[in-house]
Amino acid sequence: MYLYNSATKTKDEFVPHEAGKVSMYTCGPTVYHFAHIGNLRTYIMEDILDRYLRYSGYEVTRVMNITDVGHLTSDADTGEDKMLKGAKREHKTVMEIAKFYTDKFFEDCKALNIRRPEVVEPATSCIDDFIRVIESLLEKGYAYEAGGNIYFDTSKLKQYYVFHNFEEEDLAVGVREGVEEDGNKRNKADFVLWFTKSKFDDQELKWNSPWGVGYPGWHIECSCISMKHLGEYLDIHCGGIDNAFPHHTNEIAQSEAYLGHKWCNWWVHVLHLNTNSGKMSKSKGEFLTVSLLTEKGYDPMVYRFFCLQSHYRKSLVFSWENMDNAKVAYNKLIARIATLKEDGDVDKAVFDAQKANFIKALDNDLNTSLAVTAIYDVLKADTNGATKLALLADFDKVLCLDLIENAAKLNAEKSAETEAVPSDDPFIREIEALIEARKEAKKAKNYAEADRIRNDLAARGVTLIDTKEGTTYKID
Ligand code: AMP
Ligand code: ZN
């Protein structure tokens, strides 16, 4: 598989540290509000990567943090604490807010078929790990104490910027964010590992540390949680593109300074979901959630389908018109699948050729839009229903669009409708009586009679369709 690596800026052949095994770390949500569908685009695409690696035979161990402390409204060390902001807004404690929005996040993931990682770890449960790593960074000379806080000293590194080459001027975060710059920092790019001089007197979550009562910076949590569960060598680290700088850049700085060697090989970044007025963001307050989509009549699968139609390295524009198009396309697709029947044996040659097509698409840096095209190629293929259904079930192990389940649901709904409304049309009543008679004939193993009824109806322009849920019909 070829996977784009933001660190090398090339599509490289994916090779894990240990043959057959992949360690994967995903930056989790900051749980001070609902996840918006932009955040969820990132989690959907990471889910595809996770599932595709499993589909390709790798044993994947995936870890995700839950940010419940330390993330300030600026990704640098300025602004208000996001969790505190959420708690104030809802007149609750920080831990109540964290619990509520963590549960909501996983409900959204479930609705979107996003697999829960093997390990999900809140930052607040790893404070001792953070302190241990920060102590070691101080000992090694990579960190310093100033004004009561502990900072990482970026001037100690040969190369700090991994993903981009920023000018010092770009890092005038204080100016950019409209808040005062931190005068304790020796270098503009330095970042906080541990706060004791909190700007917020009402900071709720505080812990004892060798440097006084305080709380961790945001970046240290991902390095420590990843190393705790996945060891010193990480295969893949993912996140949205906004995480590349400063968050991931700082993670690399502190992890490699601590370990004394290279830490993670692959950096996978998902581009943003934007609206016409710019990036969808929680801090702007106006954002769309999965529940809102559902209320407006969009199955969460339609959103997943919408995301898969474009490549993860291109930004995606959300509009209701685009959602409507995705809904029409998804429903049509399900209706086509609903007409397929288990009508014989799977044609292995066709199966292998179509599957190779699907693999080729995903092997090329997770080209999900071509993988979706592979579904339509299956539907158009010159083969029987059984082969098509087997292929679609196979592709759906990765795409997870509920293709087979929703097609069966549609068929069940259709037959329930036919059963529910007794028709006053004599022709319809006759068809239904004959379907019933055919069912009885089959039960009595009188297949000749059952076939006679089918052929008789066919001669009158009525095609019978046998499904797992019963027999429906089509009038020509
Ligand atoms: P947060 O909860 O703000 O820490 O973000 C959770 C994840 O969503 C991170 O990986 C972000 O990079 C990602 N993210 C934030 N905004 C967007 C967006 N508009 N589109 C896609 N991903 C996003
Ligand atoms: Zn992170």
Side-chain angles (χ1 to χ4, degrees):
M1 175 189 194
Y2 281 80
L3 190 59
Y4 185 82
N5 184 353
S6 305
T8 60
K9 297 175 190 67
T10 48
K11 248 195 252 179
D12 303 327
E13 187 176 1
F14 177 68
V15 184
H17 283 101
E18 201 182 327
K21 293 193 172 164
V22 178
S23 56
M24 181 170 170
Y25 184 85
T26 303
C27 287
T30 309
V31 283
Y32 73 112
H33 219 318
F34 293 108
H36 57 64
I37 57 171
N39 302 129
L40 290 159
R41 177 196 192 197
T42 292
Y43 294 111
I44 288 172
M45 302 318 287
E46 292 165 346
D47 182 64
I48 293 286
L49 174 58
D50 176 359
R51 289 181 189 273
Y52 186 59
L53 290 167
R54 286 168 207 272
Y55 177 90
S56 308
Y58 290 107
E59 190 186 307
V60 181
T61 310
R62 186 157 169 216
V63 175
M64 181 195 275
N65 65 306
I66 298 288
T67 300
D68 53 0
V69 68
H71 195 174
L72 307 189
T73 46
S74 148
D75 281 353
D77 306 316
T78 55
E80 205 181 340
D81 180 300
K82 290 189 178 188
M83 293 303 297
L84 203 60
K85 194 174 157 188
K88 277 188 198 158
R89 184 186 65 231
E90 298 183 22
H91 309 290
K92 289 187 182 150
T93 65
V94 165
M95 287 329 274
E96 279 167 351
I97 289 286
K99 162 97 181 69
F100 179 80
Y101 288 112
T102 302
D103 290 349
K104 288 290 163 201
F105 172 71
F106 284 111
E107 278 172 30
D108 289 344
C109 287
K110 194 160 176 239
L112 288 163
N113 284 344
I114 297 169
R115 224 185 124 264
R116 190 186 168 101
E118 278 65 37
V119 178
V120 175
E121 179 102 85
T124 48
S125 65
C126 298
I127 303 296
D128 290 347
D129 298 282
F130 306 160
I131 292 177
R132 198 172 35 78
V133 171
I134 297 169
E135 276 183 314
S136 162
L137 289 171
L138 279 162
E139 262 167 41
K140 290 182 170 134
Y142 283 106
Y144 60 92
E145 189 168 354
N149 295 336
I150 308 296
Y151 294 86
F152 187 92
D153 187 347
T154 52
S155 70
K156 292 277 156 48
L157 301 176
K158 272 200 220 98
Q159 191 202 354
Y160 167 64
Y161 301 109
V162 178
F163 305 113
H164 312 92
N165 283 320
F166 288 90
E167 295 293 328
E168 283 280 291
E169 289 307 302
D170 294 338
L171 291 167
V173 280
V175 178
R176 197 177 65 210
E177 299 293 331
V179 281
E180 263 176 49
E181 215 173 306
D182 185 345
N184 293 321
K185 290 185 185 184
R186 288 185 192 160
N187 313 288
K188 273 186 175 150
D190 292 357
F191 55 93
V192 177
L193 296 165
W194 186 269
F195 289 96
T196 58
K197 289 279 173 281
S198 169
K199 286 189 289 294
F200 327 112
D201 298 335
D202 48 356
Q203 178 70 23
E204 218 178 282
L205 300 177
K206 291 180 204 170
W207 294 265
N208 281 325
S209 80
W211 321 286
V213 175
Y215 63 100
W218 172 40
H219 316 295
I220 195 73
E221 70 177 85
C222 287
S223 292
C224 291
I225 293 174
S226 171
M227 289 191 272
K228 179 175 169 184
H229 297 284
L230 298 168
E232 291 191 9
Y233 296 92
L234 179 63
D235 290 314
I236 305 176
H237 193 309
C238 345
I241 190 67
D242 57 313
N243 285 160
F245 184 83
H247 185 48
H248 291 165
T249 306
N250 292 349
E251 278 188 49
I252 295 170
Q254 65 205 2
S255 302
E256 297 192 353
Y258 171 73
L259 293 168
H261 60 72
K262 187 166 184 201
W263 171 47
C264 174
N265 272 348
W266 256 268
W267 289 87
V268 174
H269 291 117
V270 179
L271 270 283
H272 281 151
L273 178 81
N274 296 320
T275 59
N276 287 334
S277 53
K279 178 196 156 195
M280 190 171 288
S281 88
K282 284 190 220 181
S283 51
K284 280 192 200 156
E286 273 185 20
F287 54 81
L288 297 171
T289 59
V290 172
S291 330
L292 191 81
L293 290 186
T294 315
E295 269 168 41
K296 286 189 178 280
Y298 300 95
D299 183 326
M301 282 306 101
V302 169
Y303 183 63
R304 190 170 168 110
F305 184 67
F306 170 67
C307 289
L308 299 194
Q309 282 174 318
S310 72
H311 194 257
Y312 76 92
R313 280 200 298 119
K314 289 202 178 111
S315 50
L316 179 60
V317 177
F318 177 88
S319 71
W320 291 110
E321 195 187 344
N322 291 345
M323 272 304 279
D324 285 335
N325 291 339
K327 183 176 173 176
V328 169
Y330 180 77
N331 289 346
K332 264 197 195 161
L333 178 61
I334 295 297
R336 282 177 73 180
I337 297 170
T339 63
L340 298 176
K341 286 182 276 304
E342 289 286 0
D343 54 0
D345 294 332
V346 172
D347 182 331
K348 193 162 177 324
V350 174
F351 185 94
D352 290 347
Q354 295 282 338
K355 185 175 165 114
N357 210 14
F358 177 73
I359 290 177
K360 191 173 161 208
L362 292 175
D363 266 352
N364 183 8
D365 195 25
L366 286 187
N367 193 330
T368 50
S369 79
L370 275 184
V372 168
T373 306
I375 299 178
Y376 290 96
D377 291 342
V378 166
L379 290 171
K380 279 186 272 172
D382 184 15
T383 187
N384 62 4
T387 307
K388 292 182 182 181
L389 284 168
L391 278 160
L392 297 176
D394 184 67
F395 295 1
D396 221 26
K397 287 182 198 156
V398 180
L399 304 179
C400 278
L401 289 166
D402 285 353
L403 299 176
I404 307 293
E405 295 83 344
N406 280 344
K409 231 199 245 167
L410 184 67
N411 280 331
E413 278 164 15
K414 268 201 222 146
S415 47
E417 267 170 35
T418 345
E419 271 167 34
V421 191
S423 175
D424 48 13
D425 179 335
F427 184 43
I428 302 289
R429 281 217 300 275
E430 191 192 348
I431 295 171
E432 281 169 359
L434 284 168
I435 288 177
E436 203 42 43
R438 178 169 166 266
K439 201 168 134 193
E440 290 307 316
K442 271 187 175 172
K443 237 195 235 165
K445 298 205 171 8
N446 187 350
Y447 298 116
E449 172 64 0
D451 286 346
R452 190 198 61 75
I453 296 173
R454 172 192 279 283
N455 295 340
D456 176 37
L457 282 171
R460 294 158 74 190
V462 181
T463 311
L464 296 186
I465 303 158
D466 289 322
T467 69
K468 274 192 218 134
E469 287 75 28
T471 303
T472 59
Y473 58 89
K474 203 172 77 196
I475 303 175
D476 297 337

